[in-house]
Amino acid sequence: MTGPRDGVPILMYHAVARRPAPAAHALSVSPEAFADQMELLHGSGFTPVTTARLAAAWRTGEPLPDRPVLITFDDGYEGVHRHALPVLASYSFAATLFVSTGWLCGPHDEGGAPGAMLDWDQVRELAGSGTEIGGHSHTHPQLDQLDDGRLAFEAGRCREILAAELGAAPVSFAYPYGYSSRRVRRAVRAAGFAQALAVGNARACRCQGPYALERLTVRRTTGIGEFARLVEGRCLVHRFARDRALTKGYAVVRRVRRAATVTRAAVTPGRV
C-alpha cells in the first residue's frame, strides 16, 4: 500500500490524436503512444485512481491501492473519447477529464478552442464509463491575471454548467496553464471544488495541500522509455529542469503584470 508520504504520479495529457491541431501538437500524444503507455502501466502493476479518490484518501487516511497513478486529461479534446476511452476501458482504468466548458461543442460554446473538442453527449458517455469529470474554468484564461469578479465567474460558471449537464457538481479542478496563486486557490475553493491540480512536474504528495497537487507532463516527444522513468519517479529533476526554470521566470512576469493591472485599476476605476 502507498502511504501518505509517498509521491503519486499524476500524468497530465491533453489531445490524443494522430494529426492534432498545431496549437495542440506539442502537448498531444498519438493514439498508438497512448496505448503503449497504458500497456506499460498495466504491465508494471500500477492502479489508476481518480483525482477525487486520491484527495479523499489523503484527507481520511484511507489506504490507496498498490502503485497508484492518476491519468488526467485537460481541456476536453475529442480524441479523449475517440482514442483514449477504448484503451482505458480495456484495462478498466479510472481517469479524470478536466473540461473548459466554454470550449466544448454545444450550447455553452464561447469559441476559441485550439482543436476538435468533445460534445456533451461524449462527456456524458465518459462520465458513464467511470471517468471523473472535473472543471478547467469556463474559457481557459490565465486565472491569476483576472480580477476577482471574473475569477469567481470562471470557476463558478464552469462548475454550474457541469452540474447542470451531468446531474452532479464536480469536485476536482485543474488550473488552466497550471497557473495559480493563493488568491486563485481561494476562489476555486469558494466555488465549491474540493481539490485542484497544478503542473509542477513532480510527483504529488499530501504535503502539497489539496489545492496545489503537482502533475507530470506527457508530451508528443515522450518516448516509452522516458515514460517508464517518469511514472517511476526517476530523473524528474533533470528531465524537467528547463520547465521549472521557465515556470519560475514566468511566474515573476505574471506577478508583475497582475500588479500593473491592479495599479491601473486604482488609477482609473472601472478598467479591470
Side-chain angles (χ1 to χ4, degrees):
M1 295 293 182
T2 297
R5 294 185 180 180
D6 297 320
V8 173
I10 303 182
L11 304 173
M12 180 180 68
Y13 290 94
H14 288 77
V16 181
R18 292 188 177 86
R19 290 179 294 278
H25 187 272
L27 289 176
S28 71
V29 296
S30 71
E32 294 77 15
F34 182 78
D36 288 345
Q37 291 162 5
M38 296 304 101
E39 182 180 11
L40 185 146
L41 292 181
H42 176 73
S44 300
F46 282 95
T47 304
V49 298
T50 64
T51 302
R53 183 177 178 190
L54 174 71
W58 279 349
R59 281 193 181 93
T60 63
E62 178 186 346
L64 288 163
D66 192 36
R67 308 206 82 191
V69 63
L70 274 68
I71 302 164
T72 70
F73 303 90
D74 281 10
D75 301 340
Y77 291 97
E78 188 272 342
V80 175
H81 180 274
R82 180 189 298 268
H83 299 298
L85 178 58
V87 178
L88 295 170
S90 72
Y91 295 112
S92 299
F93 277 180
T96 305
L97 167 66
F98 296 102
V99 297
S100 292
T101 48
W103 276 4
L104 301 185
C105 299
H108 315 290
D109 190 352
E110 302 276 0
M117 310 305 287
L118 296 162
D119 62 34
W120 285 102
D121 285 341
Q122 291 171 320
V123 174
R124 280 186 279 271
E125 186 174 343
L126 282 156
S129 75
T131 298
E132 178 190 5
I133 308 300
H136 196 45
S137 80
H138 184 52
T139 64
H140 203 280
Q142 296 180 19
L143 294 177
D144 59 347
Q145 299 300 299
L146 303 181
D147 65 85
D148 290 347
R150 186 70 193 183
L151 174 55
F153 170 82
E154 284 289 337
R157 181 61 174 150
C158 174
R159 191 167 190 266
E160 177 184 76
I161 291 172
L162 283 170
E165 292 288 350
L166 302 180
V171 296
S172 304
F173 188 89
Y175 306 110
Y177 307 102
Y179 303 156
S180 72
S181 64
R182 189 172 298 173
R183 185 176 66 95
V184 170
R185 293 189 287 273
R186 284 198 302 264
V188 167
R189 180 175 183 174
F193 293 98
Q195 53 271 331
L197 304 184
V199 181
N201 286 312
R203 290 164 76 91
C205 300
R206 186 176 180 179
C207 63
Q208 292 162 356
Y211 293 93
L213 297 174
E214 299 192 7
R215 291 189 286 176
L216 300 162
T217 307
V218 183
R219 298 185 171 91
R220 196 82 179 180
T221 56
T222 303
I224 194 64
E226 181 182 348
F227 181 82
R229 293 189 292 274
L230 193 116
V231 295
E232 296 288 355
R234 299 197 302 267
C235 304
L236 295 183
V237 173
H238 173 73
R239 172 64 183 86
F240 293 111
R242 182 174 180 273
D243 298 74
R244 291 198 179 98
L246 290 172
T247 297
K248 288 179 180 178
Y250 198 41
V252 174
V253 172
R254 295 198 319 275
R255 284 196 294 271
V256 170
R257 285 179 180 171
R258 175 61 188 159
T261 300
V262 171
T263 300
R264 286 196 302 271
V267 173
T268 309
R271 289 189 60 187
V272 177

